[in-house]
Every structure is written in C-alpha cells, then in structure tokens.
Amino acid sequence: MKTALVTGCAGFIGSHLVGRLLTLGYRVIGIDCFYTNYDAALKERNLKSLLAHPAFTFLPVSLQQVDWPAILVGVEELYHQAALPGVRNSWGNSFASYAEQNITATQQLLEACLAHGQVKKVVVASSSSVYGTMQQGLTNESADINPTSPYGVTKAAMEQICKVYVKAHQLPIVMLRYFTVYGPRQRPDMAFHRFIHKLAAGEPIQLYGDGQQTRDFTYVSDIVEANILAATHGGAGDIFNIGGDQEISLLEVVRIIGQLLRVKPQLQFLPEQLGDSRRTCADITFARQKLGYQPAVPLKTGLTEQIRHAFSQSTFS
Ligand code: NAD
C-alpha cells in the first residue's frame, strides 16, 4: 500500500484528491489548518466522509506547525494543494498572508522533504495566474511569466523556490499550473459557485467587465487525475499546464447555468477588476504527451454535477 500526503486536504481540490487516492488503495495522510479564507463548516463537510475511511489520517494543523520528521516517515508521494487562493483578495493588506501561505510555507515543506523524507515525488499546485494576461492562441509553458495580481506573484515565486530545490538538491518536484477549476465543493468565492446560488435564488448576477472574458475551465476530477499522473510520470522540475480544453466566455457559462436551472439570468455589469485576465487558454500538449493527461469532463456535464451537488440535501458525495 503506497502512502501519500495531501496538504490542503479539507479544501475544494484537496478533498477530491484524497477521495480518489483512497479509492485507488493508498494510505493517505491529510493536513489542513482550516485557514479562514472561507467558512470552516464547508471544509469540515468536505472532509466528512473521508474521516470515516480507515486508510485516512487527518492532521488539523498548519504546515508551519507539522512535526515533519514523524509525519514524513513512509510518505512516497506528496501532493501540495495548501495555499491561500484567489486573485481578488490578494490586494491590499492581505499580501503578507498570501506570501506566508504560498511562498514561505512551501519553502518550509521543501526543507522538510529534504531533511526527513524519502519522498519519491512532490506534486505542487500552481496556477495559470502566473501568466497574467495571455496572448491570442493557446498558452504553452514557455510563455512569459507576467502575473497581474499579487496572488499570481506568490504562485510564480512558489514555482521559483521549487525550481531552486530541484536544481540545488535534486528534489523530485513537479509543478501543475491549474486553469480555473470547477465542480462540486468549489470555493464559495469562485464564479460558478456564486452564479449557481444567485440564479437559483432569482437574484441578479454581477459580472466584472463585459462578460466576454474567457476562461479555460477544468473539472475537478480532471485536475485530480493530472496530479496522480504527475506523481507517476512527471520529471523533476517539469511544469505542466492543466486545463480543460474548453475556452468559453463567462456570459456563455451564465447562459448554460440558466438553462440547466431553467431560469432566465438577470445580469449586472460591474467595472473590470484589477488583476483579472482577459482570457486564459491552456496549451496542454506537454501534459498530454508526457503524462498521458486527457481532460474527460465537458463543461455542461461538469456544471450539471456542480449544480446537483449544490442542492443535494446531504451536499456530500
Ligand atoms: P481551498 O482554499 O479550497 O483549499 C486550500 C486548503 O489549504 C484550505 O482548506 C486551507 O485551509 C488549506 N491551507 C492553506 N494554508 C495552509 C497551511 N499553511 N497549512 C495547512 N493548510 C493550509 O483552495 P482550492 O481551490 O482547493 O485550491 C487548491 C490549490 O490549487 C491551491 O494551491 C490553489 O492556489 C491552486 N489553484 C486553484 C485553482 C482553482 O480554480 N480552484 C486554480 C489554480 C490554482
């Protein structure tokens, strides 16, 4: 039985990843400090069914407080999902927290791996926000790193610190640049989550800018599979775009959600937000070729799942 460690295991993506690893027969150690970026009750609910699993051990601590020598014993794969995510909140006084959770905590984790672990692969969650505004056409991994938000800066710095540990210490780190992730348990600050709840309540949806900005949306199970493939096939220092292969405007997303909920969306347009990219569209050729990654869930199917989950009584699946 392989042992994996998942940081940020109570979060949106981390909780799905733990579930999948348990299904695959791993022993999983999860770490999460219930950071206050959103309601702890949602994170507790994300963990609920996982806690009952005999192969899952949960440590409710921050990365900065973990007893690494004890925890890393026997860990072969480490999936680092913990971070302070979100572009909009990263402006102003919160930058110090972003830098602490996204850069400093990652560096401490890498030091711990170096000092105490025999981890065979460290898979790290990065973000398309490292690119900033993307050019026409698909963006591949050699595009300029030019973040347009403080959050993007912290993810770019996190990648740099990972590269330093690969170069200097040969730590086997693989970085995945996720393109906007959606699906059940999506963070409440994220667009689809807000759209679904507003539309269902008959309230207007607020769109920043003209709504024509596009995103490459990626269903959460595709992100999870990319992580597992990266642990097996990724090489030290590799960076992969992980997108859903479906660029679509926010207006079109709202139209589809309205159709699925059988409501006519009311829209309010607000000024464009600082740091928002006009478009994101991943070239996933490298991930396809080296990892065998292939996004499997089309947008309408994924949205149907997210809506079903949002309104299911148990809200846990
Ligand atoms: P999330 O906030 O739902 O999950 C992150 C979890 O990490 C939270 O439960 C939080 O409590 C925990 N955490 C934060 N700092 C911690 C620390 N120091 N110690 C222990 N736990 C800590 O966010 P998410 O959307 O699931 O994102 C997961 C990862 O994916 C993040 O690294 C994020 O930057 C990255 N990412 C997400 C998206 C997306 O669309 N959701 C896109 C690009 C990149």
Side-chain angles (χ1 to χ4, degrees):
M1 194 188 265
K2 272 198 210 168
T3 300
L5 175 65
V6 178
T7 72
C9 67
F12 163 43
I13 297 168
S15 61
H16 282 279
L17 179 57
V18 171
R20 178 73 179 136
L21 289 167
L22 290 171
T23 305
L24 290 172
Y26 281 72
R27 189 173 83 85
V28 183
I29 302 166
I31 295 175
D32 202 297
C33 66
F34 294 99
Y35 200 85
T36 52
N37 55 326
Y38 60 91
D39 190 355
L42 291 175
K43 297 183 185 186
E44 279 165 17
R45 202 164 59 197
N46 292 344
L47 276 181
K48 206 169 152 196
S49 73
L50 303 174
L51 290 173
H53 199 292
F56 181 56
T57 307
F58 174 54
L59 303 172
V61 287
S62 77
L63 296 180
Q64 294 88 333
Q65 296 165 325
V66 171
D67 177 5
W68 288 113
I71 296 311
L72 284 174
V73 175
V75 172
E76 289 167 76
E77 296 174 10
L78 196 158
Y79 298 91
H80 179 39
Q81 307 296 317
L84 187 46
V87 166
R88 300 220 170 89
N89 294 331
S90 65
W91 298 95
N93 292 338
S94 59
F95 184 70
S97 308
Y98 274 77
E100 167 67 23
Q101 303 312 323
N102 300 354
I103 308 170
T104 309
T106 301
Q107 189 267 344
Q108 288 170 340
L109 173 83
L110 300 180
E111 274 298 322
C113 289
L114 202 57
H116 311 292
Q118 289 97 39
V119 182
K120 294 202 178 99
K121 208 65 67 75
V122 182
V123 183
V124 172
S126 186
S127 165
S128 61
S129 63
V130 300
Y131 294 121
T133 294
M134 297 181 198
Q135 305 304 312
Q136 289 304 312
L138 302 176
T139 301
N140 71 29
E141 293 85 351
S142 62
D144 287 348
I145 297 306
N146 202 5
T148 48
S149 68
Y151 165 71
V153 169
T154 63
K155 283 297 189 181
M158 183 201 71
E159 286 188 1
Q160 290 302 325
I161 200 83
C162 288
K163 286 184 195 170
V164 168
Y165 277 78
V166 171
K167 238 191 208 163
H169 301 292
Q170 295 77 50
L171 262 190
I173 309 168
V174 183
M175 291 154 265
L176 303 183
R177 290 179 181 155
Y178 302 164
F179 282 65
T180 317
V181 190
Y182 73 103
R185 306 179 211 157
Q186 192 189 42
R187 297 196 323 265
D189 58 295
M190 295 188 72
F192 290 10
H193 181 108
R194 289 185 288 112
F195 292 169
I196 290 168
H197 285 86
K198 290 270 180 196
L199 281 182
E203 293 172 15
I205 284 189
Q206 299 183 324
L207 286 176
Y208 296 107
D210 59 7
Q212 297 290 357
Q213 62 270 45
T214 62
R215 292 286 176 274
D216 188 333
F217 294 107
T218 320
Y219 192 67
V220 65
S221 63
D222 288 329
I223 290 287
V224 164
E225 291 313 306
N227 270 273
I228 294 165
L229 288 166
T232 310
H233 305 295
D238 280 349
I239 299 180
F240 297 96
N241 283 343
I242 304 298
D245 223 11
Q246 44 193 347
E247 184 182 10
I248 186 167
S249 73
L250 285 185
L251 273 179
E252 181 59 10
V253 169
V254 171
R255 192 192 63 73
I256 297 172
I257 296 176
Q259 192 186 57
L260 291 170
L261 289 171
R262 296 199 183 86
V263 296
K264 187 170 160 32
Q266 307 164 51
L267 300 173
Q268 281 176 356
F269 292 94
L270 300 177
E272 211 165 293
Q273 290 283 290
L274 215 54
D276 273 2
S277 294
R278 185 73 191 153
R279 70 183 298 243
T280 70
C281 191
D283 180 342
I284 55 171
T285 308
F286 187 38
R288 266 204 182 101
Q289 287 174 347
K290 187 153 183 187
L291 302 181
Y293 169 71
Q294 181 57 50
V297 182
L299 187 71
K300 207 166 175 180
T301 311
L303 276 173
T304 305
E305 276 306 297
Q306 184 165 347
I307 290 170
R308 186 190 63 74
H309 178 266
F311 300 111
S312 67
Q313 275 310 300
S314 72
T315 43
F316 197 90
S317 57

